[in-house]
Amino acid sequence: MPAPTLLPEENFMTINKPVALVTGASSGIGEAIAVKLVAAGYKVYGTSRRGVQSDQRPFAMLALDVTEDASVEHAVRELLQLEGRIDLLVNNAGFGLAPAAAEESSIEQAKAVFDTNFMGVVRMTRAVVPHMRRQGSGRIINIGSILGVVAVPYVALYVASKHAVDGYSQALDHELRTHGIRVTVIEPGYTRTSFESNSLEADAKLDLYEDIRVKVTKVVNQAMATAESADVVADVVLKAARAERPKLRYTAGKAAAQLQWMRRFAPAGILDTGIRKAMQLA
Ligand code: NDP
């Protein structure tokens, strides 16, 4: 009888690695999360609408557009064919709108923000949860924003899409806990990425908001210049992924922690005044 073939150590390690899927890993926060998870011993698949771009990254890339049902199904199927399981889903794909008044975005633009930032999370969750339920375990980490719990003006649609992510995550965590799945939402503050350059300009601008748009854009640009790195968010994601009893929400970065503290402990009037002062509103 031939001696059994021993698995090479590399294969053995691969087989035992938890499998993670990170949406929007071509840049910024998603890329930092994917790199961090690889270093922590996860088998990581990142995604981009442009598909596999290069083999420079330490993780594999899948093609995915979170706004398309078929693309979501295809990416998840591909991952399961390759790995047979999924232990961690990080819903990170998202974009913002350049500062503008709420009424300066058309309904089409409002739908587009929600289609990626919120419905993208819903599509990915629906595709992955049946597999996690069958496994009896899994983690879903949604990249929300501190603006998902504290609303600031002139980014109303973005704020609303991240509030939707926060509410969905809360409800989902209650539902899925009994199946061994936990859901967490991460709330970063300003983070230095391509986020600003990928933000959409309002498509229904009105002259009366020109001055305030310029003013708020200046405030946002100043904040972005001193923003924290995407690594700060990635560290928090790893902490949440590894936590035996993960919290529902984690802030990422100093500014987000300060805002969350004010939201919890300061009278509402003080937070309201603080927001108006920070945005230099009369
Ligand atoms: P980036 O613009 O650098 O990255 C956005 C990522 O999302 C890209 O990898 C892009 O991939 C992907 N993406 C965009 N649209 C889609 C789509 N329809 N389908 C699939 N992937 C998509 O920005 P950040 O890294 O800053 O943003 C990541 C997340 O962090 C977002 O959810 C954002 O709201 C959140 N966030 C960011 C903050 C910041 O200050 N930067 C603060 C708080 C939260 P590709 O174009 O290759 O498809």
Side-chain angles (χ1 to χ4, degrees):
M1 201 176 166
T5 318
L6 288 176
L7 283 173
E9 194 178 343
E10 198 181 310
N11 282 354
F12 181 75
M13 293 298 286
T14 304
I15 288 166
N16 286 282
K17 281 180 173 180
V19 176
L21 178 60
V22 182
T23 69
S26 62
S27 66
I29 292 173
E31 186 175 26
I33 293 168
V35 169
K36 188 77 64 182
L37 290 173
V38 170
Y42 284 78
K43 180 79 194 283
V44 179
Y45 289 82
T47 78
S48 165
R49 281 167 296 183
R50 285 159 286 168
V52 185
Q53 296 149 346
S54 76
D55 42 22
Q56 299 293 317
R57 301 172 201 279
F59 53 90
M61 277 296 232
L62 301 173
L64 171 71
D65 185 337
V66 298
T67 66
E68 287 182 17
D69 297 355
S71 174
V72 168
E73 275 167 36
H74 186 268
V76 171
R77 201 181 321 122
E78 205 178 337
L79 172 80
L80 288 163
Q81 272 164 4
L82 289 164
E83 300 296 336
R85 61 181 295 115
I86 173 161
D87 301 289
L88 171 65
L89 166 66
V90 182
N91 282 312
N92 165 77
F95 71 92
L97 292 173
E103 63 170 314
E104 292 188 290
S105 280
S106 65
I107 291 298
E108 284 67 36
Q109 196 159 48
K111 282 182 181 169
V113 174
F114 269 78
D115 205 13
T116 297
N117 292 7
F118 177 60
M119 290 306 295
V121 174
V122 175
R123 285 187 188 94
M124 290 304 299
T125 303
R126 289 197 75 253
V128 159
V129 161
H131 305 285
M132 289 184 170
R133 254 195 297 105
R134 272 197 286 278
Q135 290 166 192
S137 67
R139 291 280 165 97
I140 299 175
I141 298 185
N142 295 327
I143 307 302
S145 166
I146 192 61
L147 303 187
V149 285
V150 178
V152 304
Y154 299 102
V155 278
L157 292 171
Y158 180 75
V159 162
S161 71
K162 292 297 186 178
H163 270 71
V165 170
D166 185 81
Y168 183 68
S169 305
Q170 281 188 58
L172 203 61
D173 184 51
H174 280 299
E175 290 178 21
L176 296 180
R177 211 176 300 176
T178 39
H179 299 284
I181 305 164
R182 294 305 304 260
V183 182
T184 287
V185 55
I186 310 291
E187 304 162 346
Y190 290 119
T191 310
R192 250 185 350 265
T193 65
S194 315
F195 185 78
E196 290 304 304
S197 51
N198 290 333
S199 290
L200 288 188
E201 283 288 318
D203 61 356
K205 283 186 183 165
L206 299 170
D207 286 346
L208 90 137
Y209 290 115
E210 173 69 22
D211 290 350
I212 190 73
R213 251 191 275 115
V214 170
K215 205 169 171 182
V216 175
T217 303
K218 219 180 201 174
V219 173
V220 171
N221 289 345
Q222 274 166 4
M224 270 298 188
T226 56
E228 287 174 271
S229 82
D231 242 12
V232 171
V233 185
D235 282 335
V236 177
V237 169
L238 183 59
K239 181 177 163 189
R242 280 174 159 172
E244 206 171 307
R245 292 178 177 195
K247 294 190 292 178
L248 172 69
R249 296 193 185 103
Y250 292 77
T251 55
K254 286 195 194 95
Q258 277 167 2
L259 261 176
Q260 181 62 283
W261 188 90
M262 280 187 75
R263 175 186 167 264
R264 288 181 68 188
F265 300 114
I270 292 186
L271 182 58
D272 184 86
T273 308
I275 288 168
R276 296 190 67 76
K277 216 171 147 190
M279 302 300 267
Q280 298 176 17
L281 302 180

